[in-house]
Amino acid sequence: MTVGKYLRWKDAQGNEFRPVSLSGTDLLNDRNLNKSTAFSYEERDMFNLNGLLPPRVQTFEDQIKRVYSGFKNASTDIEKYLFLRSLQDRNETLFYALLNRYVEEMTPIIYTPTVGKACQEFSHRYQKARGLYITEDNVDSMGEMAREFASQDIKIIVVTDSQGILGLGDQGVGGMGIPIGKLSLYTLGAGIHPTQCLPIALDIGTDNPDLLSDPMYLGVTKKRIRGDEYRTFIAKFVEQVTHHFPKAVLQWEDFSKSNAFDNLTEYEDVVPSFNDDIQGTGSVVLAGIINAAKIKHESLSDQVYAVYGAGAGGVGVADQIFAGLLKEGLSHEEARARIYTLDSRGVVFDNRDNLDEYKKRYSKSWELTRDWQLEQEGKVSLQDLLNNVPVTVLLGCSGVGGAFTQSHIERMQCYTDRPIVFPLSNPTDNCEALPEDLYRWTNGRAIVATGSPFDDVVFEGSTHRIGQGNNVFIFPGVGLAAIAGEVEKITMDMFTTASYALAEHVSEEDLAMGCVYPRISELKEVTIHVATTILQRLKETDPVSKLRDKDIRHELASHMWEPVYLPYRRV
């Protein structure tokens, strides 16, 4: 009989095994089935592997030690990234077992910040095919391409058009590194089987002149399509997804600001989907603020917020803060009044010409500035805002390294003894302020979290662990809940619920150190807690929920794969 959902069988004696039809080099070249040097002598006979492998059989533990040694011998982060990607292409089970063992050390390599450089150098370091590259020419043929996959049971798709890669902008076809990295985190955190994960790059051209002039560039060498042409292409893509991958959750990733909001709004009722840059970022930041308020013995509604950066991430952050304030009982007007957003032109006001639609909901009336003293007439800078508004929470989503200065933070201390300052931009060079500076400027009183990983900071004898506001604490749990719950729509409430669940998972010991996020090493436990909390809420609030008569823990476990070798038997 079968056990679980990954071809695990039990024989009459209750022994688990996996049925396998491949043999010889075909088996060794299958990254999902390959055990490499761990194939037993019996399996080598059964699957025609004798002579194709070194004679000695290694244990799984020996293999992990060997590949970890290889990882440590790589001299740079990008070399470590390539080592891990090569391992993933050879042996998915060993790759994920290694990541499980060294989560804290390897997460920054397989994703931020190292993945940014990998995207930039994608064409020059290309190794092996993975995922789908969809262009205008082949978008109608996705079904034919998908039939080439070993698995037809796709549960999660991460897709990018590569226009807004991290803080790096347009990376063309190189943006494929983002879906590959995100899906690795889905498997690592949520246990989604690798064969159920599909990375997709929408290659609709690039406006990056360096890529267009590079003879090694592997993508479509023309300018990006835009306007109606772009919208028609996206509509075709979504239609293909719903037809050929009807069980899949779709995650939009690293789209440009307006396209990110337009695609999400247009298709969130068509396919269970979300945009991690908007909703995942907002959710993880809200969780950090909830815990920062706990540290201050205050509430969300006691704070005034400045979101520095009004792109997809920044407005997503504002949306989740707004949801949190509503949850505390504020009216819509009261909640909006406490949130200020800033872009490259300063505080966003409603008197601007051609103001982007997604920026309007937190724009302020220019009348507000009537009695303000401004450095430059007609523009309100961050310093102007801090001089005139009692901001207690400053959030960096701008991608502008060093944007927060000592004068900004000292001004916040006029309003609060413990300013909450989260310089969240990735990669590390784009961080709005360094944690050690924030502690120095506030005599150790700031509550700090970052988007990139930072070492602990020791200030005047006290150790501050820098919590990382990493979306990985949110999106795997939301995705797992959506898959297990078979939801038709992924709602804002699911992300708000995820925020509070994540906040609950931070220990009192960490809060005492001023740290508002758990350790990355706790990823799987956090993911299970987030997914469980979301599904419990769905079970309680949705009268037609498919989970009403099911045990949530058991249902989640049935969807989660562990990277271990099972004995193989020939079929």
Side-chain angles (χ1 to χ4, degrees):
M1 64 177 216
T2 57
V3 177
K5 302 189 178 181
Y6 309 113
L7 291 179
R8 298 172 63 180
W9 288 58
K10 281 186 178 180
D11 60 21
Q13 290 73 43
N15 300 311
E16 284 193 2
F17 68 95
R18 182 168 185 177
V20 174
S21 60
L22 300 179
S23 63
T25 55
D26 288 339
L27 178 53
L28 295 177
N29 289 328
D30 188 306
R31 58 190 173 219
N32 291 298
L33 293 174
N34 181 26
K35 296 184 188 180
S36 186
T37 56
F39 279 109
S40 69
Y41 293 123
E42 293 78 13
E43 289 171 333
R44 295 179 189 211
D45 288 338
M46 190 182 306
F47 295 102
N48 303 324
L49 299 175
N50 284 317
L52 301 183
L53 292 165
R56 182 180 175 184
V57 174
Q58 278 192 309
T59 66
F60 198 28
E61 187 63 32
D62 285 340
Q63 284 188 323
I64 292 174
K65 290 178 181 177
R66 173 167 53 81
V67 292
Y68 183 61
S69 176
F71 172 83
K72 296 297 284 187
N73 286 336
S75 57
T76 65
D77 284 350
I78 193 65
E79 288 176 0
K80 290 178 178 180
Y81 173 88
L82 293 170
F83 177 88
L84 291 175
R85 279 296 318 281
S86 177
L87 174 61
Q88 184 181 18
D89 288 337
R90 297 193 311 272
N91 186 332
E92 295 261 23
T93 307
L94 182 57
F95 169 74
Y96 285 108
L98 181 68
L99 293 188
N100 273 345
R101 184 75 58 86
Y102 301 103
V103 175
E104 202 98 24
E105 184 175 3
M106 294 184 180
T107 300
I109 302 298
I110 64 169
Y111 202 63
T112 56
T114 310
V115 72
K117 187 172 181 63
C119 290
Q120 290 176 303
E121 301 180 5
F122 177 86
S123 293
H124 289 258
R125 295 184 181 270
Y126 180 80
Q127 292 181 328
K128 193 170 182 179
R130 182 179 287 264
L132 286 180
Y133 296 85
I134 305 301
T135 68
E136 285 184 282
D137 295 331
N138 68 20
V139 66
D140 294 318
S141 304
M142 281 177 60
E144 296 171 27
M145 294 184 281
R147 280 195 286 273
E148 299 301 318
F149 297 150
S151 169
Q152 302 300 309
D153 187 26
I154 300 300
K155 293 293 180 64
I156 181 74
I157 296 170
V158 178
V159 61
T160 185
D161 72 357
S162 307
Q163 192 171 8
I165 298 297
L166 300 174
L168 305 171
D170 187 344
Q171 295 303 311
V173 76
M176 176 57 100
I178 298 298
I180 290 172
K182 279 283 168 98
L183 288 167
S184 296
L185 296 173
Y186 265 109
T187 301
L188 180 64
I192 307 300
H193 194 273
T195 60
Q196 297 182 317
C197 299
L198 176 57
I200 296 180
L202 304 178
D203 188 355
I204 49 177
T206 177
D207 294 332
N208 187 326
D210 293 335
L211 297 179
L212 291 173
S213 62
D214 183 356
M216 296 292 288
Y217 179 58
L218 293 173
V220 174
T221 52
K222 69 173 188 178
K223 292 284 191 177
R224 284 182 172 273
I225 62 173
R226 297 180 181 277
D228 290 341
E229 195 176 4
Y230 176 86
R231 287 187 286 274
T232 299
F233 173 82
I234 295 295
K236 286 183 178 181
F237 166 71
V238 173
E239 182 182 7
Q240 293 286 309
V241 167
T242 57
H243 182 68
H244 296 293
F245 309 109
K247 299 178 183 177
V249 170
L250 179 65
Q251 177 172 320
W252 305 94
E253 191 69 37
D254 285 352
F255 284 72
S256 69
K257 300 168 187 175
S258 57
N259 288 338
F261 284 97
D262 290 347
N263 292 339
L264 178 62
T265 302
E266 183 72 21
Y267 298 109
E268 63 184 349
D269 292 319
V270 176
V271 58
S273 55
F274 66 95
N275 186 300
D276 186 49
D277 304 301
I278 299 172
Q279 294 155 293
T281 300
S283 184
V284 77
V285 173
L286 175 59
I289 297 169
I290 290 167
N291 279 338
K294 286 182 191 174
I295 291 170
K296 295 174 67 172
H297 303 290
E298 295 176 358
S299 67
L300 296 179
S301 55
D302 291 325
Q303 315 306 317
V304 177
Y305 304 86
V307 184
Y308 189 76
V315 174
V317 167
D319 282 343
Q320 278 298 333
I321 293 171
F322 179 76
L325 292 171
L326 294 184
K327 191 177 178 72
E328 286 199 356
L330 268 63
S331 68
H332 285 63
E333 293 74 19
E334 290 169 333
R336 282 197 180 90
R338 305 190 81 78
I339 303 169
Y340 293 79
T341 58
L342 299 92
D343 60 13
S344 60
R345 297 169 59 186
V347 176
V348 178
F349 287 97
D350 59 9
N351 63 340
R352 286 190 196 173
D353 294 332
N354 302 315
L355 183 62
D356 291 320
E357 193 65 34
Y358 66 90
K359 294 183 181 182
K360 288 181 180 178
R361 52 186 177 267
Y362 299 105
S363 62
K364 302 299 184 190
S365 169
W366 184 252
E367 276 295 304
L368 194 65
T369 68
R370 183 169 48 188
D371 298 322
W372 291 10
Q373 297 296 312
L374 304 179
E375 295 175 350
Q376 179 182 336
E377 187 176 349
K379 176 181 178 180
V380 178
S381 67
L382 176 59
Q383 189 66 62
D384 289 327
L385 177 66
L386 296 172
N387 288 343
N388 292 279
V389 174
V391 171
T392 60
V393 180
L394 178 59
L395 307 166
C397 306
S398 67
V400 180
F404 297 165
T405 67
Q406 184 171 354
S407 63
H408 293 147
I409 308 307
E410 288 178 346
R411 184 63 185 177
M412 290 180 69
Q413 285 198 286
C414 296
Y415 312 122
T416 176
D417 179 49
R418 304 210 66 181
I420 300 169
V421 187
F422 293 0
L424 296 165
S425 292
N426 289 310
T428 309
D429 289 346
N430 292 358
C431 190
E432 286 84 1
L434 297 177
E436 54 263 38
D437 288 336
L438 294 172
Y439 290 120
R440 181 165 50 83
W441 296 337
T442 61
N443 197 31
R445 299 295 293 167
I447 301 172
V448 180
T450 57
S452 293
F454 280 88
D455 292 334
D456 293 353
V457 173
V458 178
F459 181 81
E460 294 188 352
S462 295
T463 299
H464 301 269
R465 185 171 76 78
I466 311 302
Q468 186 186 359
N470 193 324
N471 292 18
V472 74
F473 289 131
I474 295 294
F475 69 81
V478 172
L480 178 59
I483 292 167
E486 299 179 46
V487 302
E488 295 182 358
K489 179 177 180 177
I490 298 175
T491 64
M492 172 72 82
D493 184 68
M494 291 172 68
F495 281 96
T496 306
T497 301
S499 296
Y500 282 85
L502 172 57
E504 289 170 357
H505 204 274
V506 178
S507 68
E508 292 298 326
E509 179 183 1
D510 278 334
L511 292 176
M513 293 176 65
C515 186
V516 297
Y517 292 112
R519 298 180 185 274
I520 296 292
S521 58
E522 300 172 55
L523 175 58
K524 186 158 286 188
E525 293 84 358
V526 169
T527 297
I528 293 171
H529 181 63
V530 167
T532 301
T533 306
I534 291 171
L535 292 181
Q536 187 61 47
R537 179 163 173 79
L538 287 174
K539 190 173 181 178
E540 294 169 355
T541 60
D542 183 358
V544 295
S545 170
K546 296 182 172 72
L547 297 163
R548 292 196 70 80
D549 300 319
K550 294 183 179 180
D551 179 271
I552 288 174
R553 287 276 179 173
H554 182 269
E555 194 65 22
L556 288 175
S558 73
H559 286 82
M560 298 183 73
W561 167 75
E562 291 291 336
V564 295
Y565 292 147
L566 290 174
Y568 289 174
R569 296 189 189 178
R570 188 75 178 265
V571 296

